Each structure stands twice: as C-alpha cells, then as structure tokens.
Amino acid sequence: IEPEVQTRLEAGLAKVNQQYSSTETGGIVMDPSTGAIIAITSIPTYDPNDLSSVNPSVLRDPLVENVYEFGSIMKPLTMAAGLDAGVITPSTTYTDTGCITVDKAQICNYDLKARGTTGMTDVIEHSLNVGASWIATKLGQPLFRKYFESYFGTTTGIDLPAEQHGLVNNLNSSQQVNFDNMSFGQGIAVTPVAMLRALAAVANGGVMETPHLVSGVQLDSGVTRTIDWPAAGQV
C-alpha cells in the first residue's frame, strides 16, 4: 500500500459516497504490469481498534467477498476478445438499429437511439449495448465462453481471506440472449478484484497478473524474503 495514494483514494471515495448516498462505495488501485495493489478501501468502514459497536456485516470485504453485475465496464473485455479472435478489426462497422430482438427479448442502447453505420470505437465511447451484442454474436458462443472463462473462470488468488467465485453460470447457457447480456455486463456477477484483474489485462498485453498486497516478508533476522507472485495467465 502506498500511503499517499491510499489517503487520496479514501478521500475521493468519501466524497462519492456522500454525493450519491450509496450503500456501498469502494475502489482499488493496482499496477496492471505486476498485480501489486497500491491502494484499496471500501465504505462503510470501521475502526479495527473498537469492534464492540461494529455491525458484523461491515467486517466483510466487499471488494473480494461480494459479487456485482458491473454493467458497461464489461464492454472493453468483449471488444478485446473480438479483436484478439480476429472477428472484428479497429475499422469494422455495423448497422446500429437502437434495439434488437434476441431469443424474443429486446436489447436496446441506453437512449434507445439508432446510430446507423457505427464503428468499434463508438461502441466504447458511447457505451452501445447493441454494438457489444453484435460483437458477442460475431464471436459465437464457444469463443465468447472461452474468453470469459479466461477472465472469470477462477478466483484471482489475492492474498486476502474469503475471496468468492463469480456467478458465471450463464456461460454454460445455449441461449444467445444470455451471451448478449453478458457482453455489456448483465447476467454475470463477479467480485471487484476479479473485474479489476480482467480489465488490467487489457493494459498488460493480455496477461492477467495475480493481485496482491504483500510483496515480501521481513524475517526476525532482518532479511526480507521476496514473494514471487505468478502471472494468472495469458488471455
């Protein structure tokens, strides 16, 4: 933990929590090239020196023990999978109709607007659900499943207790609507640290590192034993 970054993260999240009156607010700052966690905190918090008045539920670490549907920040992972698999290129376009019907269910952009001929950059810049769904269809279910299992098929191995596995059963579905929904972060729930590890791979050449807080242990002799955290693998 880097004290200055930790202090700024705590202050920033306190402002966000106050502004939105959110039930939970949390954040992690991690070096994507090593997995070293520079800062991590969540609200509500507690004073570890006075546990007598603490609600036991607050003792859980939501960043490793709770799972969430993360919504549109999943789109960069869908885009990365499409680019890596070669089913799209940076210059690929599709026809955005604003809404589509998949397995009798309707999927729409957040504003319901059609944008006509649309590029891949626009899918990310304007957070287009229809575009993410289109990429999921281009990937096909087996390839989509392969990539998302690489992202979220295991826990991260972070050196904090009680890490939970994500809810990813829809990856075993045969209904295309489930894959379309997962492409923009619905119908799949993961821990914040798992989401962070997957997104960090986009900035690290596709390699997912193991998130960790401890880089070494100082022995009583004064010698520091370095801990070698292995990469979680190449997506």
Side-chain angles (χ1 to χ4, degrees):
I1 297 295
E2 203 295 313
E4 179 67 17
V5 180
Q6 179 72 22
T7 299
R8 292 187 179 215
L9 178 63
E10 291 178 3
L13 291 179
K15 291 178 181 178
V16 170
N17 190 76
Q18 184 177 28
Q19 180 179 355
Y20 294 101
S21 300
S22 45
T23 303
E24 294 178 349
T25 309
I28 311 172
V29 179
M30 187 181 83
D31 181 344
S33 65
T34 66
I37 291 178
I38 310 302
I40 181 170
T41 192
S42 62
I43 300 171
T45 186
Y46 62 93
D47 180 356
N49 294 310
D50 180 16
L51 298 178
S52 60
S53 58
V54 174
N55 184 327
S57 65
V58 179
L59 298 177
R60 292 174 56 88
D61 185 345
L63 302 176
V64 298
E65 296 184 55
N66 292 356
V67 297
Y68 306 87
E69 287 185 311
F70 274 99
S72 288
I73 64 170
M74 197 70 76
K75 289 183 177 118
L77 300 181
T78 300
M79 184 69 70
L83 290 167
D84 187 64
V87 300
I88 58 171
T89 71
S91 60
T92 296
T93 61
Y94 73 103
T95 302
D96 191 291
T97 55
C99 290
I100 57 175
T101 300
V102 183
D103 295 332
K104 299 181 180 180
Q106 193 173 53
I107 291 174
C108 294
N109 294 330
Y110 72 95
D111 56 5
L112 308 181
K113 292 181 179 179
R115 287 167 170 79
T117 302
T118 304
M120 295 297 97
T121 301
D122 295 314
V123 173
I124 300 298
E125 286 187 352
H126 301 290
S127 194
L128 302 178
N129 293 344
V130 171
S133 299
W134 184 84
I135 296 170
T137 300
K138 294 287 287 184
L139 275 167
Q141 294 181 13
L143 264 181
F144 188 102
R145 183 180 299 113
K146 178 183 176 182
Y147 278 96
F148 272 66
E149 284 180 345
S150 294
Y151 297 144
F152 303 118
T154 63
T155 54
T156 69
I158 188 173
D159 50 343
L160 287 173
E163 182 184 6
Q164 296 300 303
H165 198 287
L167 301 178
V168 297
N169 289 341
N170 278 337
L171 289 173
N172 299 318
S173 171
S174 60
Q175 289 189 297
Q176 185 60 36
V177 66
N178 288 325
F179 290 86
D180 284 38
N181 283 334
M182 286 186 287
S183 75
F184 52 86
Q186 296 181 13
I188 182 171
V190 299
T191 62
V193 71
M195 190 74 221
L196 174 67
R197 181 183 70 161
L199 285 171
V202 178
N204 192 40
V207 177
M208 293 197 303
E209 299 292 340
T210 300
H212 59 276
L213 287 88
V214 177
S215 59
V217 177
Q218 189 174 52
L219 306 178
D220 290 340
S221 63
V223 174
T224 297
R225 178 171 60 85
T226 302
I227 298 177
D228 183 22
W229 294 96
Q234 178 84 37
V235 177

